[in-house]
Amino acid sequence: MSKVAVALSGGVDSSVTAFLLKQQGYEVVGVTAKTTCSSEAEQVIENARTVAKKLEIPFYPLDVTEIFREKVINYFENSYRIGETPNPCIMCNKYMKWGALFDYAINELGADFIATGHYAKIKEVDGIFKFYPASDEHKDQLYFLFMLDQEHLKKTIFPLSNYCKDEVRKIAFENDLPSKSSKESQDICFIKAPMTTKKYLNNLFTPQRGKFKRGKFIEAESGKVLGEHEGFWQFTIGQRKGIGLAASEALYVTGIDANTNTVYVGFKDKLYADYLTLNNINWSYPVEKSEFEALAKIRYNMKAVNVNVIRDGAKTIIRFPDGVSALANGQACVLYDKNDGHLLGGAFIQG
């Protein structure tokens, strides 16, 4: 009997993951990472413990507060400090779920596999493990998993890959799992309501005494000062709402200079680019071709677009035949196979 360590969050997805694996005959244990020293983090532990008790499986809390601070929170804050748009979920997957938790489960608990509530599929094709989109296209999470490698994939199980969210909730209700009525998790798990990302960043950047020096809105094309704002960190590339500037047509954020607290704006056509260069792509498996067609996303909630990929050593040029809007430093460009949509690899965008 194979032993599987489930990353339990106390939410419905991970709870149903553990339930399904136990039904399938696996020896299941629950592991929950304590990511911050807060009452909210303690509640996550207790929620997960309650699920484990209901399922009658062993439960192991794992304190990862130091590495979470270093690899996720510090990354998040430092990205904003230099004017980038971070994606903490990607870093959490790499350093928490398939970092500290993976190592603990495999090396300390003797698990054969780990499992999470992600919506994705893993298939072995000719000895190579590949990521494929989940059946529920609205929940597909490949974008957040591009930093995993073959060692991770061959020891990972995704029981929810063939389910849609409504089916998962139905399973939770039918089996009276404690998480059956839990809400969707927040995008940034360490920023809890009533705190918002904007308030969090304002607290981070505003000196203890006094206010942060106001910055300027500058029209990128002409260099003309159009107004003032209350901090570059409140904006991201491609943003339209919340700028508050009058113009003949809608203005968008086209650039950010953190050093001078400057936000550059322009009309929508100024957002488009026809290529970008990525350094040191993390390939999901060895990709031999130096030039090929693929699909790409430069942010999670967009539809994948056709691209031409040209590899040149550590650099990879991604060309967009139809153009692409709002390339934001710090976000990820993720590549997919053009024929069946499986994950090829990805890298963070750097201007």
Side-chain angles (χ1 to χ4, degrees):
M1 180 189 301
S2 295
K3 185 175 183 179
V4 184
V6 177
L8 280 180
S9 67
V12 66
D13 290 334
S14 64
S15 301
V16 172
T17 291
F19 172 80
L20 291 174
L21 288 170
K22 188 176 180 184
Q23 270 200 330
Q24 292 166 19
Y26 288 98
E27 178 188 353
V28 180
V29 301
V31 183
T32 300
K34 178 184 176 182
T35 55
T36 60
C37 296
S38 64
S39 59
E40 290 86 358
E42 293 293 346
Q43 188 60 56
V44 169
I45 297 290
E46 290 311 307
N47 291 347
R49 193 190 306 276
T50 301
V51 171
K53 185 176 181 180
K54 170 71 175 180
L55 294 175
E56 298 180 332
I57 61 174
F59 176 70
Y60 302 91
L62 179 65
D63 190 330
V64 297
T65 50
E66 289 187 14
I67 190 170
F68 188 82
R69 159 54 70 177
E70 176 189 355
K71 297 297 187 180
V72 180
I73 298 178
N74 287 354
Y75 150 80
F76 174 83
E77 295 178 352
N78 291 335
S79 293
Y80 271 105
R81 283 192 177 97
I82 60 176
E84 293 186 347
T85 303
N87 198 313
C89 292
I90 292 172
M91 302 301 277
C92 184
N93 283 332
K94 177 177 174 60
Y95 292 107
M96 297 298 108
K97 294 184 179 71
W98 282 272
L101 190 148
F102 181 91
D103 292 342
Y104 176 73
I106 302 298
N107 299 326
E108 301 296 325
L109 299 181
D112 300 292
F113 303 96
I114 74 160
T116 72
H118 282 86
Y119 289 78
K121 292 179 182 178
I122 298 175
K123 298 179 183 178
E124 185 179 0
V125 181
D126 297 328
I128 294 175
F129 292 85
K130 297 182 179 182
F131 266 136
Y132 286 82
S135 297
D136 186 346
E137 61 181 19
H138 301 294
K139 292 290 293 182
D140 183 69
Q141 294 171 307
L142 291 189
Y143 181 88
F144 300 109
L145 300 169
F146 77 86
M147 296 189 79
L148 306 191
D149 58 31
Q150 287 291 296
E151 286 302 306
H152 296 127
L153 268 62
K154 70 182 181 182
K155 293 182 180 179
T156 298
I157 301 174
F158 291 131
L160 304 188
S161 61
N162 292 316
Y163 292 88
C164 68
K165 186 71 179 201
D166 287 344
E167 290 173 323
V168 169
R169 285 210 174 275
K170 183 179 179 182
I171 292 171
F173 270 99
E174 288 177 346
N175 295 279
D176 195 30
L177 299 183
S179 59
K180 62 185 180 183
S181 299
S182 63
K183 297 179 180 178
E184 288 287 289
S185 58
Q186 293 174 270
D187 288 339
I188 303 176
C189 65
F190 55 89
I191 300 179
K192 299 292 187 181
M195 179 63 73
T196 64
T197 301
K198 182 177 180 179
K199 289 178 183 177
Y200 183 97
L201 293 173
N202 282 342
N203 291 341
L204 178 67
F205 285 99
T206 303
Q208 259 187 329
R209 298 177 182 176
K211 294 183 178 180
F212 195 90
K213 183 179 178 182
R214 293 176 67 84
K216 290 181 172 58
F217 281 118
I218 294 181
E219 185 179 40
E221 192 168 23
S222 68
K224 181 181 178 181
V225 177
L226 300 181
E228 291 187 334
H229 58 79
E230 295 183 347
F232 68 87
W233 58 88
Q234 299 182 19
F235 303 91
T236 188
I237 304 300
Q239 180 175 333
R240 178 175 65 86
K241 294 181 179 179
I243 297 177
L245 297 173
S248 58
E249 57 183 280
L251 289 171
Y252 295 78
V253 175
T254 61
I256 294 171
D257 187 334
N259 291 324
T260 61
N261 195 18
T262 300
V263 176
Y264 293 94
V265 297
F267 298 134
K268 191 173 184 179
D269 63 305
K270 302 302 178 185
L271 284 173
Y272 282 86
D274 54 14
Y275 79 97
L276 68 85
T277 301
L278 298 175
N279 294 313
N280 299 311
I281 284 184
N282 187 82
W283 297 103
S284 183
Y285 61 91
V287 176
E288 304 299 334
K289 293 180 181 178
S290 58
E291 294 188 25
F292 55 92
E293 294 182 350
L295 297 172
K297 286 185 178 184
I298 60 166
R299 51 189 167 272
Y300 168 64
N301 60 352
M302 70 174 284
K303 184 178 179 180
V305 296
N306 293 318
V307 295
N308 297 312
V309 181
I310 304 169
R311 301 174 65 188
D312 182 13
K315 292 186 176 181
T316 303
I317 298 171
I318 311 297
R319 295 196 179 278
F320 299 86
D322 300 319
V324 69
S325 177
L327 292 172
N329 285 351
Q331 285 290 284
C333 176
V334 179
L335 303 174
Y336 308 83
D337 184 83
K338 190 172 183 180
N339 296 315
D340 60 19
H342 77 261
L343 179 70
L344 297 176
F348 289 105
I349 299 168
Q350 302 293 329

